[in-house]
Amino acid sequence: MLTITMAIFIPFLAAIFIPSIYKGIPRVNIGWFVLIIPVTLFIMLARNISAIAAGETYIQTIPWIPSAGIYFTTYLDGLSMIFGLLITGVGSLVILYSIYYLSARESLAHFYVYLLLFMGAMLGVVFSDNMMVLYVFWELTSISSFLLIAFWYHRKQSRYGAQKSLLITVTGGIAMLAGFLMLYAMTGSFSIRENIASVGELTGEALFLPALLLVLVGAFTKSAQFPFHIWLPDAMEAPTPVSAYLHSATMVKAGIYIVARFTPVFGGEPVWFYAVSAVGIFTLFWGSLNAVRQTDLKALLAYSTISQLGLVMSLFGLGSAALHAGYSANSVLYTQATFAALFHLVNHSTFKGALFMMVGIVDLNVGTRDVRRLGGLMSLMPFTFTIAVIGSFSMAGLPPFNGFLSKEMFFEAMLTLRHLEFFSIGTWGTWFPVIAWIASVFTFVYSMIIVFQTFLGEHQPDRLDRKAHEAPPGMLIAPSILALLVVTIFFFPNIIGQYLLRPAMASIYPSLAGEMELAPRILAWHGKVDTPLLMTGGVVILGIILYRLLQYWRNIYEIGPFRWNLDALYNGMLSFAERSSSLLTNFYMTGDLRNYLSYIFAFFLLAVGGSLWFTGGFSFDMSNDAPIALNEYILVFVMAAACVLMLFVRSRITAILLNGVLGYSIALFFVFFRAPDLALTQIVVETVTTGLFLACFYFLPEWKREKSAQPTKIFNGLIAVSAGVVVTVIALSVQGNKMFESISVYFENAYDLAGGKNIVNTILGDFRAFDTMLEVVVLFIAGIGVYTLVKLKAKKEERDVED
Amino acid sequence: MKINDVILQTVTKLVVFIILTFGVELFFSGHNDPGGGFIGGLVLSSALVLLFLVHDIETVEKGIPVDFKKVAAVGVLFVVGTGVGAVLFGASFLSQAFGHFELPVFGSTELATVVLFEAGVAMAVVGTVVTIMLSISEDV
Amino acid sequence: METLITILIGVLVTVAVYLLLSRSLIRVILGSAVLSHAVHLLLMVMGGLKKGSVPLLGEQAEAYTDALPQALILTAIVISFAVSAFLLVLAYRTYKETGLDDLHELRGFTDE
């Protein structure tokens, strides 16, 4: 279906036109035009929901680099549908929100261009079937994320955060690329579907495990899993709509997407199961623990996002056990974990999006997001408060919000681990639910912090930058829609379950899809008080106690492991890399042209002269030489004399004239050598060049004698002479060995092939027109360069950038 | 640069026309005889440069009110445009077409898209060379 | 003929490299101009010299000279012109801004 390919490119195409619309129609906020795109795409995708739910998939292939196995293949199935809807749906809401969030003074054109770039790249990630194409889009999301985090680039923290996120995610991306290449080496295909199809043959291969680990590194860095999570809190320097969109709803879920997408390939491996679920559960725990200590609301949300991503990740890890178990009663249990993961993925996007937007509103209205300065905003901002309550309670796992449903399913999935008999899991199986439960208690605590420390308690107007008031209605639309979804999903979860999650389950478990029902009915009340419900109850009780006593136990963050700082490690590595590379660079990049040219010529002499010497390629054959006329002897002598004289003349004018002599002599040679076009061109160019030299000399000083020391001169002379000798020897050897026939006979068909009788001209204009085109471009660039060099004088600008 | 030399100016008026004609002749003969876009363009631009040298810049700019940067840009656009045009007709990038046509005055004439390409090259060359010369001489 | 021209190319390259390695900006630019002359001749020699008629099909000759090097040289001539022009203006601007045309002094050393 062409439209899926179109869906990827529409945002890119739109991004091209945004700047001109922005300039052309200054009265209307550009955001309204941008908003059209995700809304259209969302509707386009949504129209296919029922077809996808019926089990259809759409695929379309455009050959890109067929010789390398790279096809631009887009693939729409249940899994990519969920992500596609999230990207366009949350995208629409975020753009709507940003119209009110960003002031018109900001460079909105940049902002929306970056945002559209991101949207297109992200759609590319989830719709691509070819791993190379996926990788390209994957890196493009990192780049657009970098640009968006650094949107307020005059702030030092923004630049730091942008760089950090780029370094970490791109490093992971490269690891993933290596993993993809290994998969290609094993299966000979870049297509994910074909890799899935050949999964059984892979497991024994030596490269299988490295490929698995490398792909996981890519996924973990992008999804901010421990220990790569450190970039996400710093990424919060981005404008809040960006944080809501990229760093909670979509981009950070790209890693999860990769894990889900590659589960059919790698899922049967114990290593995959352990790596994904253990890293996930630890990230869940670590993220929630650290979220509690944050005082900045956005940092708190960042850690909470890390933690929730860990939750989803661990569920996918558990779910992969089903592939190992094959078709059995138990595997149904494990597929439930994956189902819960997908469900929580959707839920997280709704409630976390709403929470981010809520924090943005608070930040914008009162000028701070520090919970220590906030308080008592409930009566001043009732709508915002409502959104905060819905979002936070859903995150904490309370009814009647969708987070409750997925949290219950999460507990249940963790409890099934106790029954896991394979992978020699042993007592570890019991640890998983315990860690999950502890992490949930902290999740509950920080959810309460968001609501109660911001909106209840004592209002401190004197500590706020601005007087608090309710946000404008337009700003509340987007978070309200999300909050509404949070509640709606709680009451009608099975609509999502049947139409979105079931087809996605089929793409994650292609081998099990036909054999059993993968999508259970989601129920809020299971008819009895079961263990998950008791666990939730325990979370609430202990959570309330801990929240009440927060001030007494906060000090634990001062001890032990909390002081180990991954950020310091990152900073240390970064500054080490900077220092050592600048040392290395300064060692040979002296800033002296002479040195650089010496490197180049020395390398030339060693590489070319050396290989000539070792291969013994000298063979001179002068028998084919053309006869020499007297006038040619004279001309050669004139040229040699002119160029040697050039070294000794006192005046630069003489030197230029000697250069002219060289040029015109060459033109004469061109005449002798039957090249009329060249002769003509050379004469005109030489004239113009000499004119140019003279025009510039009008301003330049007379040249002085070289002041270099004698050894330097000798060294230069040595290099010069050897370069001349090597060139001569090579040229003579080439003439001595005709290893293959000239291809020029082909061009003698010029009249039939290109309709011209001047062979040189047809080569330029037809056979090798690409060369000519680029040459014209080079000439043009040189012209523009000259123009700007002369006309544009550098102005001392005022710097508004923090160092 | 102001040179006031009546003889030079008078001779130039004549010579420039000869050079210009020569340049155009070279441009059109390029397909079958020596010549073509480059040489034609270079000769044309040398005529213009001569004009600028002999008369002062203001006078010439009044006579030829053309922004040569734009000439160069349009030339590059032509060159790239013929390539893209070929793609639009389903051929590969930059392929040229030619054919023979009966025209009323000229008889059987060969028409080729390469002329557009060469025209682009010539315009780019003229524009660039004159831009370079003008930038330097204007910056006193 | 080819051998003679090749030796001439060697001389041109030697002079060009020596000029490129010197400290004065003008000499460097002049060196690059001479080097491009040498390269044009080199390309020409590689195709063989005086082996046939002018590469115009209108000549109805039995054999034509190799046209490919000629096309390459034509491109190279124009590019080297562009490069020379750019370098010249760069040198000129540098001199206007700093009052220096010596590469060694431009690095911040007054003299050795």
Side-chain angles (χ1 to χ4, degrees), chain B residues 32-34 38 129 132 136 139-140, chain C residues 56 74 78 81 85 89 92-93 96:
Chain B
N32 294 325
D33 293 305
F38 272 122
V129 172
I132 292 175
I136 295 173
D139 186 65
V140 179
Chain C
L56 298 172
L74 199 61
V78 179
F81 165 71
V89 174
Y92 152 67
R93 281 300 304 172
K96 273 215 133 179

Side-chain angles (χ1 to χ4, degrees), chain A residues 505-521:
Chain A
M505 292 294 283
S507 13
I508 298 175
Y509 297 114
S511 55
L512 305 177
E515 300 178 56
M516 57 182 163
E517 179 53 53
L518 288 167
R521 283 190 64 75

Side-chain angles (χ1 to χ4, degrees), chain A residues 314 364-365 441 595 650 729 780:
Chain A
S314 65
L364 204 64
N365 277 342
V441 172
N595 284 354
R650 292 285 174 81
V729 169
F780 180 63

Side-chain angles (χ1 to χ4, degrees), chain A residues 35-150:
Chain A
L35 183 59
I36 300 169
I37 294 149
V39 170
T40 320
L41 291 176
F42 183 80
I43 294 169
M44 218 168 87
L45 280 173
R47 284 178 51 198
N48 290 310
I49 289 179
S50 53
I52 295 288
E56 277 188 57
T57 54
Y58 296 102
I59 186 157
Q60 203 215 351
T61 301
I62 302 169
W64 186 14
I65 313 172
S67 54
I70 298 174
Y71 295 85
F72 199 98
T73 306
T74 47
Y75 184 58
L76 178 66
D77 65 352
L79 187 61
S80 36
M81 179 59 114
I82 292 187
F83 280 88
L85 287 174
L86 278 182
I87 294 160
T88 51
V90 179
S92 312
L93 295 175
V94 160
I95 288 171
L96 177 66
Y97 175 76
S98 69
I99 293 172
Y100 296 94
Y101 182 83
L102 289 171
S103 95
R105 285 192 310 275
E106 309 271 7
S107 48
L108 291 179
H110 286 122
F111 180 78
Y112 287 114
V113 165
Y114 300 157
L115 212 60
L116 284 171
L117 274 185
F118 169 75
M119 195 182 288
M122 195 65 210
L123 287 171
V125 167
V126 298
F127 289 147
S128 297
D129 175 60
N130 192 288
M131 289 188 265
M132 283 296 116
V133 179
L134 191 155
Y135 171 74
V136 169
F137 283 123
W138 175 276
E139 295 295 35
L140 205 52
T141 60
S142 294
I143 292 167
S144 45
S145 151
F146 169 81
L147 290 169
L148 282 166
I149 297 171

Side-chain angles (χ1 to χ4, degrees), chain A residues 276-358:
Chain A
V276 176
S277 50
V279 168
I281 199 101
F282 188 74
T283 309
L284 163 67
F285 170 71
W286 189 250
S288 63
L289 199 57
N290 275 292
V292 175
R293 72 199 277 208
Q294 303 302 321
T295 50
D296 178 358
L297 275 178
K298 266 182 99 175
L300 194 156
L301 284 181
Y303 276 103
S304 111
T305 304
I306 292 169
S307 146
Q308 301 280 317
L309 289 169
L311 187 156
V312 177
M313 198 61 101
S314 65
L315 282 172
F316 273 116
L318 294 193
S320 73
L323 282 174
H324 187 85
Y327 178 67
S328 72
N330 259 347
S331 58
V332 179
L333 282 177
Y334 305 128
T335 59
Q336 301 317 314
T338 306
F339 188 77
L342 289 168
F343 190 40
H344 194 70
L345 189 81
V346 176
N347 293 345
H348 176 248
S349 291
T350 54
F351 65 68
K352 192 53 72 63
L355 282 176
F356 264 111
M357 291 179 186
M358 178 281 289

Side-chain angles (χ1 to χ4, degrees), chain A residues 625 632 735 744 757 764, chain C residues 3 45 50 57 66 74 93:
Chain A
D625 280 15
E632 290 162 353
Q735 288 157 39
S744 302
K757 289 180 185 154
L764 286 175
Chain C
T3 316
V45 169
K50 299 206 270 189
L57 295 174
D66 200 340
L74 199 61
R93 281 300 304 172

